[in-house]
Amino acid sequence: RHHAVDSAVASTADDIAEMRTRGAATIADAAAGALATQAKRSEATTEAAFRTELRAAAKTLYETRPTAVSLPNALRYVLRGMEGATVAELRASTIDQAEAFQRELAQAQSKLGTVGSNRLRDGDVVMTHCHSTDALSCVEAALEDGKEIEAIVKETRPRKQGHITARQLREWGVPVTLVVDNAARRYLDRADHVLVGADSIAADGSVINKIGTSGLAVNARERGVPVMVAAQTIKLHPDTMTGHTVEIEMRAESEIVSDDERADIDDEYTDDGLVVENPAFDVTPPRYVDAIVTERGQYPPESIVTLMRELFGETTSEPWEP
Ligand code: RUB
């Protein structure tokens, strides 16, 4: 039997895996909240059993999706604060640490928004891809400064997170032009910025974000449109400092070809020669990125590694390891 992982943790993990909870910052927040719930509801009677339970919960959450490093970073942050000589102390410290994490996450996002908004001038048009709460925070801060901002929103196939972005921007009164992904290059003529988020940032300044970001960035460079990446420092991937690469999640083919369509194809062709691949993310090399905007200020991608060293120091172990 699994080490008494609470049902609320299991359902948070399920929500992340099935993308009912999605986006790197939102996933990190939910994971920290789930560890707090595990701590609150734990029936462990010994300190060792409590620690084992919390690590098992962290592992369950970690094994949902591989690309957004905010998830293991969140788990590590919370487990690092699990301290005390009794179960009661361990419980209290874990809950405190999870809540501190969630507070800092929200504060970092709003601080980052202020930094990012300084790049946006009154009347600017931003082109977005996917749905990033960090990217939207920059627009929100610009609007609060009284700037008028317009948006060209890429639909973002296959899951159309662009519609979430469009809805949020309309709620703020921002004029939105929604376009299919293939129209992006044509509409870059009208854009003053490409504004995207990140799931992970590697030590060389590469940006890992929703599939299609790299093509957008290359087209933007060709058109002379600056690319701005809004990413809290929780998106910095510590393992990449020691040469590890970021795993790109491959999702189900059913997001692209329905089961019925697949059955039709299989009826017609019997040789299994049609393969559908569905990578959820891609890697944008640093030379196509103009600025990475964090709560610690804006960085050229090439110097993000200095911030990573400062924040993470030496390589860290898996979040559930002692
Ligand atoms: C979401 C995505 C977002 C980043 C940043 O992908 O690529 O751009 O996660 O989001 P998915 P945020 O929908 O597959 O999770 O700024 O909110 O952390």
Side-chain angles (χ1 to χ4, degrees):
R1 186 169 116 86
H2 236 254
H3 289 288
V5 170
D6 192 87
S7 63
V9 173
S11 81
T12 300
D14 205 46
D15 286 345
I16 296 170
E18 300 303 324
M19 290 178 67
R20 288 182 293 271
T21 298
R22 50 147 296 284
T26 308
I27 289 170
D29 180 75
L35 289 184
T37 304
Q38 178 77 41
K40 277 176 204 156
R41 295 197 192 166
S42 171
E43 288 170 5
T45 51
T46 66
E47 192 201 326
F50 183 93
R51 287 180 183 277
T52 305
E53 256 185 50
L54 264 291
R55 275 186 216 118
K59 193 162 192 290
T60 301
L61 293 160
Y62 177 72
E63 283 168 352
T64 50
R65 295 183 74 191
T67 305
V69 74
S70 51
L71 173 55
N73 283 348
L75 299 171
R76 194 177 287 122
Y77 183 106
V78 175
L79 292 198
R80 209 175 51 217
M82 178 169 67
E83 280 168 356
T86 64
V87 170
E89 284 172 15
L90 287 172
R91 190 192 316 277
S93 63
T94 306
I95 295 168
D96 282 355
Q97 182 84 344
E99 287 171 357
F101 175 83
Q102 290 174 314
R103 255 193 328 271
E104 282 172 30
L105 189 74
Q107 280 165 6
Q109 185 166 82
S110 86
K111 218 162 165 194
L112 163 162
T114 307
V115 176
S117 72
N118 290 331
R119 292 182 64 87
L120 305 179
R121 292 157 307 176
D122 187 32
D124 275 357
V125 178
V126 298
M127 182 180 284
T128 66
H129 185 58
C130 199
H131 168 256
S132 158
T133 56
D134 281 355
L136 283 171
S137 177
C138 301
V139 176
E140 188 178 25
L143 297 171
E144 279 165 6
D145 277 352
K147 295 173 189 169
E148 280 182 26
I149 304 293
E150 287 182 34
I152 299 164
V153 172
K154 290 179 78 231
E155 188 182 34
T156 316
R157 288 274 167 171
R159 296 188 66 112
K160 299 203 229 170
Q161 291 93 329
H163 290 250
I164 306 170
T165 300
R167 202 177 315 130
Q168 176 65 77
L169 289 168
R170 286 306 301 132
E171 255 171 54
W172 291 337
V174 172
V176 169
T177 304
L178 183 69
V179 297
V180 297
D181 296 302
N182 288 333
R185 186 163 181 278
R186 181 176 171 84
Y187 281 83
L188 274 170
D189 287 347
R190 295 200 204 160
D192 299 296
H193 309 265
V194 163
L195 171 58
V196 295
D199 288 84
S200 283
I201 299 209
D204 71 345
S206 294
V207 171
I208 294 85
N209 190 49
K210 181 54 57 191
I211 189 78
T213 302
S214 66
L216 175 62
V218 171
N219 281 331
R221 172 55 49 84
E222 192 262 341
R223 291 276 158 128
V225 180
V227 175
M228 162 178 175
V229 175
Q232 307 183 43
T233 55
I234 190 88
K235 316 287 180 63
L236 302 179
H237 201 305
D239 294 348
T240 60
M241 286 192 286
T242 50
H244 288 89
T245 52
V246 178
E247 185 182 340
I248 301 294
E249 176 184 16
M250 298 299 286
R251 293 196 61 88
E253 79 163 38
S254 57
E255 292 184 346
I256 297 174
V257 173
S258 70
D259 291 345
D260 283 354
E261 286 167 326
R262 179 36 104 176
D264 283 350
I265 292 164
D266 289 344
D267 280 348
E268 247 178 285
Y269 310 100
T270 49
D271 68 352
D272 289 339
L274 176 72
V275 175
V276 177
E277 293 204 349
N278 183 15
F281 303 100
D282 65 20
V283 182
T284 303
R287 65 182 174 281
Y288 298 110
V289 175
D290 291 272
I292 297 175
V293 171
T294 79
E295 76 277 14
R296 300 283 207 103
Q298 106 178 336
Y299 288 76
E302 292 80 5
S303 51
I304 202 76
V305 67
T306 57
L307 182 60
M308 285 175 88
R309 288 215 187 90
E310 190 187 314
L311 293 172
F312 296 105
E314 295 303 305
T315 325
T316 38
S317 55
E318 298 293 7
W320 52 86
E321 282 169 5

